[in-house]
Amino acid sequence: MDFPHYFPIWNKLNSNQQNRLLGSLIPKKVKKGTIIHNGSADCTGLLLVKSGQLRAYILSDEGREITIYRLFDRDMCLFSASCMIRSIQFEVTIEAEKDTDLWIIPADIYQGITAESAPAANYTSELMATRFSDVMWLMEQIMWKSLDKRVAAFLLEEASIEGTDELKITHEIIANHLGSHREVITRMLRYFQNEGIVRLSRGTVIILEKAKLEQIQDA
Amino acid sequence: MDFPHYFPIWNKLNSNQQNRLLGSLIPKKVKKGTIIHNGSADCTGLLLVKSGQLRAYILSDEGREITIYRLFDRDMCLFSASCMIRSIQFEVTIEAEKDTDLWIIPADIYQGITAESAPAANYTSELMATRFSDVMWLMEQIMWKSLDKRVAAFLLEEASIEGTDELKITHEIIANHLGSHREVITRMLRYFQNEGIVRLSRGTVIILEKAKLEQIQDA
């Protein structure tokens, strides 16, 4: 069990708290595409990613999506345990973007520990502040940045996460990340293609001119 | 000094912590329009509103504004002490919307107390979760709701806060709340006026048909 190496404040907990955590952990392997937590469903618990990639998104009444943050190795997801914090009044859905190994920490166990441990409670605040910062960044993007900049920033982010300029991604998926429509994204990508910035083929976007994407992003 | 009646977790602090708080508090009266905290400025401290009204907003590079939340009597503002929480990576500006009486709690004092008190740390999490929920609500408004619904919702909110249907507010100010442009708001208000929903005069919006605004808001 290597959980202690992944849990950032392990050494700040007493042995009783450590044992309660270890005794309640649920290790889980999920396949790419699995919905791990559904906004309206029960309180799943906190998720600690061992390896893989998750995304958290919100859904409109009409089924449109927008990605609000992503979680990578060693990241922890708090909002899948929103029952734990009374003041959380919104719902996120968590989906595995890659095959993912994770631990589920039951919400009641974690809540019991934060109730008695200032370090655990402060760690929870820091976690929330990190996601809050992600969301504020996103809001600024949506409010002040036009879609060409957002698509350019998204392609650059994907290339950085995947470590390749040949992205296996559909226009539909890009639209879901950005809260846009497939048709709108297709139009933008074709514009980029006409400018020689990307090459499009079925299910693939190949970045040809990274520098130009960066120019658009920063313009 | 009636601070203890306004500070929600006063009774959960020990007397040493209570004394440190009382000994460091800065009571302040600010006039309507005062900028109390400026995103890029030093760490102002936490603000506890005794009476009055504040708004927190973000600014684009071009100076456009959008209100992210408002604070009323007994509300506490955390993000004016963002130096306290390392993971807060965004900047808000806090302005008095009405003459306001408040206390400033120095960030280092509050941080010292949360470091040793689980109730204080958990209270901080709850505060952050409340603002996070405000921002998520706003994001959903921006993403999925058209401007007519947002203007209708804003006018209804203002009428409810002010307790009157005769709102002293300029189109510029409405635009700043909603992250829009004055011209766009003027066009929308004129449309509402043509529909007999509001009457406009210099610096005033009078709501004539509240039920119709509610219909637009909920459509």
Side-chain angles (χ1 to χ4, degrees):
Chain A
M1 170 71 76
D2 43 3
F3 177 80
H5 299 293
Y6 283 80
F7 192 69
I9 52 158
W10 182 257
N11 292 326
K12 293 185 179 164
L13 302 179
N14 65 35
S15 57
N16 173 292
Q17 291 158 349
Q18 290 176 343
N19 289 336
R20 272 189 280 160
L21 266 182
L22 284 186
S24 63
L25 280 181
I26 304 164
K28 203 159 179 175
K29 283 177 195 292
V30 292
K31 286 278 167 207
K32 177 177 170 172
T34 309
I35 302 291
I36 301 171
H37 174 75
N38 186 326
S40 53
D42 277 10
C43 201
T44 308
L46 287 89
L47 309 174
L48 177 58
V49 178
K50 189 174 175 187
S51 64
Q53 186 174 318
L54 308 179
R55 77 172 179 117
Y57 61 95
I58 53 174
L59 269 173
S60 75
D61 295 340
E62 295 86 30
R64 282 171 69 199
E65 303 177 358
I66 183 167
T67 300
I68 57 169
Y69 55 82
R70 286 160 141 185
L71 300 165
F72 303 96
D73 298 4
R74 296 179 175 272
D75 279 341
M76 180 123 110
C77 185
L78 196 59
F79 296 118
S80 48
S82 58
C83 60
M84 202 180 77
I85 296 178
R86 204 179 42 224
S87 314
I88 296 178
Q89 301 288 339
F90 57 93
E91 295 181 343
V92 298
T93 305
I94 316 280
E95 177 193 21
E97 279 194 304
K98 298 185 179 169
D99 291 352
T100 300
D101 264 18
L102 55 85
W103 288 284
I104 298 174
I105 306 171
D108 57 336
I109 299 292
Y110 191 82
Q111 188 172 24
I113 291 171
T114 57
E116 58 191 51
S117 159
N122 282 306
Y123 173 66
T124 308
S125 284
E126 287 286 345
L127 264 185
M128 197 154 12
T130 304
R131 301 305 160 231
F132 204 142
S133 300
D134 290 344
V135 168
M136 291 300 290
W137 179 87
L138 177 61
M139 176 116 87
E140 291 179 356
Q141 295 281 313
I142 294 168
M143 289 304 298
W144 326 124
K145 289 215 176 183
S146 44
L147 191 68
D148 59 338
K149 295 185 183 189
R150 296 180 60 218
V151 173
F154 178 77
L155 295 176
L156 289 167
E157 189 193 352
E158 278 296 307
S160 158
I161 291 173
E162 300 297 334
T164 169
D165 288 351
E166 199 169 323
L167 307 174
K168 300 277 174 211
I169 195 163
T170 67
H171 303 183
E172 179 83 39
I173 289 176
I174 298 174
N176 284 346
H177 276 289
L178 300 179
S180 182
H181 292 285
R182 189 191 56 73
E183 297 74 9
V184 175
I185 298 298
T186 297
R187 205 182 313 128
M188 185 65 72
L189 288 172
R190 286 197 184 136
Y191 164 77
F192 284 173
Q193 180 166 254
N194 292 339
E195 299 286 308
I197 299 169
V198 302
R199 190 166 66 235
L200 306 177
S201 62
R202 202 175 174 77
T204 312
V205 179
I206 300 167
I207 299 175
L208 302 174
E209 292 270 14
K210 209 167 222 170
K212 283 196 185 163
L213 280 184
E214 285 162 357
Q215 269 172 34
I216 293 169
Q217 174 189 240
D218 301 333
Chain B
M1 170 72 76
D2 43 5
F3 177 81
H5 300 293
Y6 283 80
F7 191 69
I9 51 159
W10 182 258
N11 291 327
K12 294 185 179 164
L13 301 179
N14 65 35
S15 58
N16 173 292
Q17 291 158 349
Q18 290 177 342
N19 289 335
R20 272 188 281 159
L21 266 182
L22 284 186
S24 63
L25 281 181
I26 305 164
K28 203 159 178 173
K29 284 178 196 290
V30 294
K31 286 278 168 207
K32 177 178 170 172
T34 308
I35 302 291
I36 301 172
H37 173 75
N38 186 325
S40 54
D42 278 11
C43 201
T44 308
L46 287 89
L47 309 174
L48 177 58
V49 178
K50 188 174 174 186
S51 64
Q53 185 175 320
L54 309 179
R55 77 171 179 120
Y57 61 96
I58 53 175
L59 268 173
S60 74
D61 296 341
E62 297 86 30
R64 282 172 69 199
E65 302 177 359
I66 183 167
T67 300
I68 56 168
Y69 54 84
R70 287 161 142 182
L71 299 164
F72 302 96
D73 298 4
R74 297 179 175 271
D75 279 341
M76 180 122 110
C77 186
L78 196 59
F79 296 118
S80 49
S82 58
C83 59
M84 202 179 77
I85 296 178
R86 204 180 40 225
S87 314
I88 297 178
Q89 300 289 337
F90 57 92
E91 295 181 342
V92 297
T93 305
I94 315 279
E95 177 192 19
E97 279 194 305
K98 297 186 178 168
D99 291 352
T100 301
D101 264 19
L102 54 86
W103 288 284
I104 297 175
I105 306 172
D108 57 335
I109 299 292
Y110 192 82
Q111 188 171 24
I113 291 171
T114 56
E116 58 190 52
S117 159
N122 283 306
Y123 173 66
T124 308
S125 283
E126 287 286 346
L127 265 184
M128 196 153 13
T130 304
R131 300 305 160 232
F132 204 143
S133 300
D134 291 344
V135 168
M136 291 299 291
W137 179 86
L138 177 60
M139 175 116 86
E140 291 179 357
Q141 295 281 313
I142 293 169
M143 288 304 299
W144 326 123
K145 289 216 177 182
S146 44
L147 191 69
D148 59 338
K149 294 185 182 188
R150 296 180 59 217
V151 173
F154 179 78
L155 294 176
L156 289 168
E157 189 194 352
E158 278 297 307
S160 158
I161 292 173
E162 299 298 334
T164 170
D165 288 350
E166 198 169 324
L167 307 174
K168 301 278 174 211
I169 195 162
T170 67
H171 303 184
E172 180 82 38
I173 288 176
I174 298 175
N176 284 346
H177 276 289
L178 301 179
S180 182
H181 292 285
R182 189 190 56 73
E183 296 76 9
V184 175
I185 298 298
T186 297
R187 204 182 314 129
M188 184 66 70
L189 288 172
R190 284 196 184 136
Y191 163 78
F192 285 172
Q193 180 166 255
N194 292 340
E195 300 286 307
I197 300 168
V198 302
R199 189 166 67 233
L200 306 176
S201 63
R202 201 175 175 77
T204 311
V205 179
I206 300 167
I207 299 175
L208 303 175
E209 292 270 14
K210 211 166 222 173
K212 283 196 184 163
L213 279 184
E214 284 161 358
Q215 269 171 32
I216 293 169
Q217 175 189 239
D218 301 333

